[in-house]
Amino acid sequence: MRRMLAVGALIFVFFAVQVAQAGTFYLHDHPSYWWYVVDDPAFSVIVPSTGQNYIERSIFGMDSLLITFRDGAITMEVNSQPSTDVEAVRSSLEARYKPLVKNVTIISNQEITTSNNLKCLFYAYEATGANGKKVMLRSVFFQRGGHVVYLTYFLEADQFKDDLREYWIRAVNGFEWN
């Protein structure tokens, strides 16, 4: 019995340490979501709690949270980088995947206002991916002070429905500056 309790306590401590290390994820009212909170720049966004992988990384001054679904075939990113030039950031995102897509059809490249009454650039396209399938890039760019925070979503176009569609809508409309 003592051994069972000791093993149980060890497992609890292991999971408590894992949660404490993340530190930027908080429970949301809905069990399918978490709040992802960043201190610098100060913002929060609602992200799905149902992803397969959550990877925080920093590349050349860009901080990023990568969330994958369906064995990595679908990805959502929350990116933050120093900049005041939203168009330059958008162009760099477009250039990042340009070699992999053809027959690009721009769905949107305009300013929108979210449910939180924040203005952002919404840029989206559909294209034929290198895999021969119809793919979709969706992105929104928020700029404040010396930072651009942007959300991206990469998936096959026919998968943008049901929960996968709702994850994107929640993230965009739940974004807020803290």
Side-chain angles (χ1 to χ4, degrees):
M1 179 69 165
R2 280 189 190 183
R3 184 173 185 179
M4 182 91 84
L5 288 174
V7 169
L10 185 59
I11 290 171
F12 174 78
V13 168
F14 173 76
F15 283 111
V17 168
Q18 293 297 324
V19 171
Q21 287 178 340
T24 53
F25 293 92
Y26 297 93
L27 292 177
H28 188 271
D29 294 340
H30 193 286
S32 294
Y33 298 94
W34 288 326
W35 281 102
Y36 179 65
V37 179
V38 175
D39 291 331
D40 187 25
F43 71 89
S44 55
V45 63
I46 299 170
V47 298
S49 62
T50 55
Q52 287 176 315
N53 296 296
Y54 294 80
I55 302 166
E56 290 183 284
R57 57 190 179 171
S58 184
I59 303 168
F60 306 136
M62 177 182 74
D63 295 322
S64 183
L65 169 66
L66 172 68
I67 305 168
T68 65
F69 305 88
R70 298 193 180 164
D71 297 324
I74 299 171
T75 60
M76 179 183 283
E77 294 179 358
V78 178
N79 301 292
S80 169
Q81 69 181 67
S83 183
T84 56
D85 189 346
V86 170
E87 182 55 31
V89 175
R90 188 210 58 81
S91 294
S92 70
L93 175 65
E94 183 180 41
R96 179 176 164 191
Y97 294 98
K98 191 173 186 174
L100 298 173
V101 294
K102 61 183 177 183
N103 305 321
V104 175
T105 302
I106 306 296
I107 298 170
S108 181
N109 188 12
Q110 64 185 345
E111 184 176 85
I112 63 168
T113 302
T114 69
S115 297
N116 281 340
N117 205 30
L118 294 175
K119 294 195 181 303
C120 62
L121 172 66
F122 173 46
Y123 177 76
Y125 68 68
E126 288 185 347
T128 304
N131 60 1
K133 296 181 180 180
K134 189 174 184 182
V135 296
M136 176 184 286
L137 160 69
R138 301 182 79 79
S139 55
V140 289
F141 300 82
F142 300 90
Q143 197 280 322
R144 183 175 180 191
H147 286 88
V148 172
V149 176
Y150 59 106
L151 314 177
T152 59
Y153 208 27
F154 307 96
L155 67 164
E156 291 177 7
D158 64 353
Q159 295 179 341
F160 189 64
K161 60 186 177 188
D162 303 326
D163 286 344
L164 292 172
R165 182 178 180 277
E166 187 63 27
Y167 295 157
W168 174 251
I169 291 170
R170 268 296 168 119
V172 171
N173 288 294
F175 179 90
E176 56 190 41
W177 294 108
N178 297 337

